[in-house]
Amino acid sequence: DQQVKQNSPSLSVQEGRISILNCDYTNSMFDYFLWYKKYPAEGPTFLISISSIKDKNEDGRFTVFLNKSAKHLSLHIVPSQPGDSAVYFCAARPSGNTPLVFGKGTRLSVIA
Amino acid sequence: GAVVSQHPSRVICKSGTSVKIECRSLDFQATTMFWYRQFPKQSLMLMATSNEGSKATYEQGVEKDKFLINHASLTLSTLTVTSAHPEDSSFYICSARRAGGLGETQYFGPGTRLLVL
């Protein structure tokens, strides 16, 4: 049973436009959500996170939105750049010292 | 930022040999470290959670006698793949959770590509 779902395996966006990556979760006990970016043959790089007590967190071109009632979060990248092309993983953490639960990732391609 | 290193970055070995992968948190103390495995075009699969000074907790289906984990200090965890076989070939990634502070964010190492011939 997959607790964190990224239903779009891939997304293509033109350079300069907005990229929106979506993530759904089923466990209402998750209290912290993160987005990671991963290039091939490299470890994931932490991008941005949000606590369950917030509905928005912004860092430069990256904004994460959380809708707890819908159990949905999204990552917005604007403007999108070719260097943003990578696989993006959504992750969630139940309260306590437990491992993150990852989605399967969405491959973003930003076309120049 | 928080930096996690892994060594080696790539290893090729013969079937039957053991391989040790080191994971270090370079600029912070990590009470908890995690080991993941990633197959091509697949998500990260958690193998085990290790806490400094105690035995690792393995995920279901992961053989603890095959994948030995030692978390000897707050900055070092090692994964030893014993008697490696070709099916163990994969991309192994460690992750460390910073002690204190927010403590929620896991920082990942660059990964180790293991190829067993």
Side-chain angles (χ1 to χ4, degrees), chain B residues 18-62:
Chain B
S18 294
V19 175
K20 180 187 279 190
I21 303 170
E22 290 188 350
C23 176
R24 293 181 186 272
S25 55
L26 297 184
D27 54 356
F28 66 99
Q29 291 186 327
T31 51
T32 306
M33 287 187 172
F34 307 91
W35 286 95
Y36 293 83
R37 183 174 179 177
Q38 187 182 29
F39 293 102
K41 298 185 180 179
Q42 298 281 325
S43 184
L44 301 167
M45 186 192 82
L46 178 66
M47 298 174 67
T49 301
S50 75
N51 292 294
E52 187 264 338
S54 62
K55 289 184 178 179
T57 303
Y58 290 82
E59 295 299 300
Q60 193 171 13
V62 179

Side-chain angles (χ1 to χ4, degrees), chain A residues 32 34 36 38 41-44 46 89 93 96-100 102-104, chain B residues 32 34 36 38 43-44 46 49 51 91 93 97 104-106 108-111:
Chain A
Y32 198 71
L34 307 91
Y36 288 84
K38 186 181 183 300
E42 292 185 12
F46 168 71
F89 288 98
R93 188 183 71 102
N97 189 27
T98 50
L100 295 176
F102 283 87
K104 290 191 173 181
Chain B
T32 306
F34 307 91
Y36 293 83
Q38 187 182 29
S43 184
L44 301 167
L46 178 66
T49 301
N51 292 294
F91 191 58
I93 311 172
R97 177 175 286 163
E104 294 90 350
T105 303
Q106 286 178 220
F108 286 84

Side-chain angles (χ1 to χ4, degrees), chain B residues 80-113:
Chain B
T80 302
V81 184
T82 62
S83 187
H85 290 284
E87 58 265 29
D88 298 324
S89 299
S90 190
F91 191 58
Y92 293 87
I93 311 172
C94 74
S95 177
R97 177 175 286 163
R98 188 197 296 262
L102 286 177
E104 294 90 350
T105 303
Q106 286 178 220
Y107 297 93
F108 286 84
T112 297
R113 171 75 60 193

